[in-house]
Amino acid sequence: MPSTPFAPVILGNEPGSFPHSVLAERHPAIISRVRDAFPYGPGQHRALDELLKSCTEGTVQPLPTDAPDRDRWQDWGLAGCAGLSWYDVPWLWSESYFYRRLLDAVGWFGPGAWQGIDPFRPFKRAELDAPETDGELAALDALPGLPEEERARALLHGSLWGNRADLGFRLSAEGAEARDPAPALVADDSAALWSLLPPGNAATLVLVADNAGRELVPDLLLLGHLLAEGRAARAVLHVKPYPYYVSDATTADVVDALHRLRAASGAAAEYARVLWSAMADGRLTVRAHPFSCAPLPYAEMPDDLRAEFAAATLTVFKGDLNYRRLVGDRLWPPTTPFQETTAYFPSPVAALRTLKSDVITGLSPTTEAALVAAEDGRWRTSGTHALIQVSGVDLK
């Protein structure tokens, strides 16, 4: 990872900043939502109240001595962060540890009746079962009549824009084209991405998933298309080993999404058949590595995970959190080359991301100037801009 004094690690201790608002406002709201979503008992209520007080007024506390992952979190920096304000440790670390402690509070790690019960499941299911999903899946029926390249492009943009229903399955890049005063798609290396996945290819594609529900569905559809059309011979879908960041995908969420597709009709059901078959014969596998929930950048990934990525033809990181971990959660100058911040990665890597946090690399000076002039700093966090970036391959 490049070391530069102009790219400090992001903290949450600046009032008025986006990270500060997440710690001060979003986390308490999440505690309230989780508390109201389940009929938890007095023990969980007390633990949630203690977490609320700790993360708003107190300091980072160690994990219980009997926590199954205590040693792992010690290695991930807990020893150095314990006793400090949640606002004064790296924002990525603080956010990640909040979700780990939330799972403790509701009894997810057990033992007990609430062991393994996802506290975010009601929110994920509500989104997946929303009527808007039916419309998005029905729109897939227009795809089979298109040339393969157009279908692939439409599904790539569906995955990129995720749960933005108005853009999810548009059959063109409408909304992602250059527009005045600033483009919606602020970087587009899609030609380089497709160069690594030509038809008839024996590629191994790794996709590091982001959110469940209506974001995971287009990710699965993209994988299904690439496998069915021979652009990839094998695909590996990385999800989280436990509930994380409210909506991050777990294996259970993959199963829910597949059942949602199977229950649909037309093209959606056919994609479900392709995906189900690919999982059955091993062409599509689901992976849940512990480092997927680490509060650290991927530059610090363990050797076994590095070896997995090194064996891939292309690794695609979906979403904002994965982007922060891929390039480092730092205030990079926006024109810092994406290739520079990902030079450590052991094989070609791509990012599909809607902008929802301050971290950004790889912009041209012209694009940065247009964004700043049009929206000041709001473009970084509004979710109205996106990017497709590729590193480790010739972009010419």
Side-chain angles (χ1 to χ4, degrees):
M1 188 68 65
S3 178
T4 168
F6 301 107
V9 172
I10 295 176
L11 305 178
N13 57 7
E14 182 182 343
S17 69
F18 181 68
H20 188 277
S21 71
V22 169
L23 298 176
E25 301 168 18
R26 183 182 297 178
H27 287 180
I30 289 170
I31 292 174
S32 178
R33 289 185 69 198
V34 166
R35 183 186 181 111
D36 293 342
F38 285 92
Y40 290 127
Q44 281 98 348
H45 287 167
R46 284 193 299 271
L48 289 169
D49 289 343
E50 290 170 3
L51 177 60
L52 176 61
K53 185 174 182 179
S54 169
C55 67
T56 55
E57 304 173 16
T59 59
V60 173
Q61 297 299 307
L63 288 173
T65 56
D66 60 349
D69 54 352
R70 190 172 187 272
D71 290 343
R72 181 178 295 144
W73 273 92
Q74 290 293 106
D75 292 339
W76 287 349
L78 178 55
C81 293
L84 299 177
S85 166
W86 292 77
Y87 295 88
D88 291 334
V89 300
W91 181 43
L92 175 63
W93 199 98
S94 184
E95 278 194 293
S96 298
Y97 194 59
F98 167 78
Y99 289 101
R100 173 59 184 81
R101 294 313 306 255
L102 181 61
L103 292 182
D104 256 343
V106 298
W108 192 91
F109 288 98
W114 292 97
Q115 183 175 10
I117 302 299
D118 185 348
F120 310 125
R121 182 172 172 79
F123 319 133
K124 297 174 180 178
R125 287 297 318 186
E127 183 181 274
L128 191 61
D129 295 337
E132 292 86 353
T133 306
D134 292 322
E136 293 174 357
L137 296 181
L140 291 169
D141 291 339
L143 288 178
L146 297 176
E148 191 279 331
E149 287 189 1
E150 290 187 33
R151 283 181 283 139
R153 186 167 181 261
L155 291 170
L156 177 66
H157 280 269
S159 179
L160 169 66
W161 288 104
N163 64 1
R164 289 186 59 190
D166 60 328
L167 290 172
F169 292 115
R170 286 188 176 179
L171 304 183
S172 71
E174 181 186 354
E177 75 280 4
R179 69 179 190 214
D180 292 331
L185 193 59
V186 299
D188 184 5
D189 295 337
S190 54
L193 185 151
W194 293 126
S195 74
L196 293 164
L197 301 170
N201 190 20
T204 295
L205 174 67
V206 174
L207 192 151
V208 182
D210 186 32
N211 292 327
R214 288 168 61 206
E215 284 198 39
L216 183 59
V217 166
D219 294 344
L220 290 171
L221 293 171
L222 177 62
L223 291 179
H225 178 86
L226 297 176
L227 289 168
E229 297 297 329
R231 287 182 179 266
R234 179 173 179 265
V236 181
L237 179 66
H238 276 252
V239 296
K240 302 299 190 296
Y242 53 74
Y244 193 60
Y245 276 72
V246 181
S247 58
D248 279 26
T250 65
T251 302
D253 299 318
V254 174
V255 175
D256 284 345
L258 285 172
H259 278 297
R260 184 70 169 88
L261 287 171
R262 292 184 90 188
S265 60
E270 176 59 21
Y271 276 111
R273 187 197 65 78
V274 169
L275 290 161
W276 202 276
S277 175
M279 292 189 73
D281 63 28
R283 288 177 295 128
L284 172 60
T285 57
V286 179
R287 186 87 163 89
H289 194 283
F291 193 76
S292 294
C293 288
L296 304 171
Y298 272 94
E300 300 181 36
M301 74 181 101
D303 291 341
D304 65 324
L305 186 57
R306 178 179 292 273
E308 286 189 40
F309 290 147
T313 307
L314 174 66
T315 299
V316 177
F317 282 82
K318 268 297 307 293
D320 198 78
L321 174 61
N322 284 328
Y323 188 87
R324 291 165 57 193
R325 296 186 65 200
L326 179 63
V327 304
D329 202 35
R330 295 172 173 270
L331 286 174
W332 298 106
T335 55
T336 304
F338 177 71
Q339 292 78 9
E340 180 182 326
T341 60
T342 56
Y344 69 90
F345 208 80
S347 59
V349 62
L352 301 182
R353 177 219 182 185
T354 303
L355 277 60
K356 297 178 182 177
S357 69
D358 291 313
V359 179
I360 184 69
T361 68
L363 298 189
S364 70
T366 301
T367 298
E368 181 193 6
L371 290 165
V372 171
E375 303 174 37
D376 195 18
R378 296 186 303 277
W379 60 272
R380 292 176 179 258
T381 60
S382 64
T384 58
H385 300 278
L387 56 79
I388 303 171
Q389 292 177 323
V390 177
S391 179
V393 63
D394 189 354
L395 297 180
K396 296 180 181 178

